[in-house]
Amino acid sequence: MPEVLITGASSGIGLALARRYLEAGYIVHVCGRSKEKLESVLPESEYIRHWCFDLSDKAAIFDVAERLPPLDGIILNAGGCEYIDDARHFDSALFERIISVNLISVGYCLEAWLGKLAPGAFLVFVSSSASYLPLPRAEAYGASKAGLTYLAKTMDVDLAGSGIQVSVVHPGFVDTPLTQKNDFPMPCQITSEQAAERIFRGVENKQFDIHFPRRFTYLLKFFGWLPHTVWRRLAAKWIKR
Ligand SMILES: NC(=O)c1ccc[n+]([C@@H]2O[C@H](COP(=O)([O-])OP(=O)(O)OC[C@H]3O[C@@H](n4cnc5c(N)ncnc54)[C@H](OP(=O)(O)O)[C@@H]3O)[C@@H](O)[C@H]2O)c1
């Protein structure tokens, strides 16, 4: 049976993806920080393996590599979101937390786990459509995801010919614990099951840039192409608090 590893599989998009890959007949290696949380949503079984560690713990990520079997896919989905509420009093601890979990940890995973992927396997980075353009209060989150998208594109260039298929995912708003904390309107929001289906199909179709819902992501892409000064004026008028 094919085997896939998914980070951040204890809730939201990662959990929905784990369920989708199980349905497709995969053995699913699900990662999260809490054994209890993983057990409550996806009890360990013949088809579900639990891996509990914090992504800031490089040694733990390498320890997982020692015990992992060869994999047919890795989905680097785990992430967090916190906002910089006052840019004039920049919170560097928050900045470090978000860059660390969303970007630096991905480097640890690549170093530790890439050798587990056989030719024909897939490697998926879950970034965000927030990376398309500078959004208010997203100094940390947006920078981490813009960095992740750049990393994914570079890996795609450097892994060309290796037989490993790289994809990067740019979701719009998805209803998960991460967005349930948001205090602003979230247009075109979809469910985590819809997001998982889009990602699953995108990977099956060997799509590099998987983005959804398209009516929202194309709009963000368009604004991202505008000169920065034009976008700054629009953002100040429409969305800056
Ligand atoms: N929801 C959206 O609208 C949206 C939009 C664009 C992109 N995304 C991206 O999609 C990915 C999944 O987000 P989600 O919305 O599904 O959020 P979520 O429901 O909050 O899930 C986040 C997952 O990441 C794991 N995680 C967080 N910090 C971790 C750490 N330090 N070590 C290990 N695991 C950690 C969590 O596991 P535990 O807490 O159990 O450890 C959880 O399983 C993220 O990368 C997010 O940036 C989401």
Side-chain angles (χ1 to χ4, degrees):
M1 283 173 86
E3 305 201 24
V4 61
L5 177 143
I6 304 171
T7 66
S10 62
S11 69
I13 298 171
L15 173 59
L17 269 173
R19 290 185 170 137
R20 185 63 186 86
Y21 275 93
L22 276 171
E23 197 184 301
Y26 277 72
I27 291 176
V28 183
H29 298 264
V30 293
C31 309
R33 283 169 293 190
S34 155
K35 176 80 183 157
E36 291 69 40
K37 197 167 157 190
L38 283 176
E39 198 59 41
S40 70
V41 288
L42 284 173
E44 206 158 23
S45 73
E46 201 182 331
Y47 306 107
I48 302 170
R49 310 276 155 75
H50 289 172
W51 300 94
C52 299
F53 56 90
D54 193 305
L55 280 161
S56 62
D57 186 346
K58 186 175 177 180
I61 292 171
F62 276 80
D63 182 58
V64 167
E66 297 284 307
R67 293 174 288 132
L68 273 177
L71 296 168
D72 301 281
I74 294 178
I75 304 182
L76 299 169
N77 159 76
C81 180
E82 293 180 67
Y83 295 111
I84 299 275
D85 286 327
D86 182 355
R88 281 162 302 183
H89 299 97
F90 199 87
D91 184 343
S92 67
L94 180 161
F95 189 74
E96 188 175 346
R97 260 196 316 278
I98 293 300
I99 299 286
S100 172
V101 68
N102 290 356
L103 185 58
I104 305 293
S105 75
V106 172
Y108 301 155
C109 296
L110 291 175
E111 185 180 346
W113 301 340
L114 212 54
K116 295 286 167 187
L117 290 180
F122 56 85
L123 174 64
V124 180
F125 298 83
V126 179
S127 181
S128 168
S129 55
S131 65
Y132 294 162
L133 75 176
L135 295 168
R137 299 194 293 149
E139 285 85 354
Y141 185 72
S144 72
K145 293 300 187 179
L148 188 62
T149 294
Y150 189 96
L151 172 64
K153 286 180 175 172
T154 318
M155 289 298 288
D156 187 47
V157 168
D158 278 336
L159 291 178
S162 69
I164 294 174
Q165 173 209 324
V166 178
S167 297
V168 59
V169 183
H170 295 107
F173 290 114
V174 183
D175 184 14
T176 70
L178 183 141
T179 45
Q180 282 153 14
K181 300 180 297 202
N182 286 346
D183 57 358
F184 50 81
M186 291 181 278
C188 308
Q189 197 179 48
I190 60 170
T191 66
S192 48
E193 289 73 24
Q194 289 172 314
E197 187 59 32
R198 294 300 304 269
I199 297 169
F200 179 81
R201 277 196 274 122
V203 173
E204 287 287 292
N205 293 334
K206 303 190 187 309
Q207 235 176 287
F208 173 70
D209 180 8
I210 302 170
H211 62 99
F212 53 81
R214 294 201 164 199
R215 62 193 184 282
F216 182 70
T217 49
Y218 275 130
L219 198 63
L220 288 197
K221 277 177 190 273
F222 168 74
F223 287 128
W225 290 326
L226 293 176
H228 176 68
T229 46
V230 175
W231 169 245
R232 187 181 59 205
R233 260 181 268 135
L234 293 176
K237 198 167 159 189
W238 291 343
I239 47 180
K240 201 157 187 304
R241 302 185 325 160

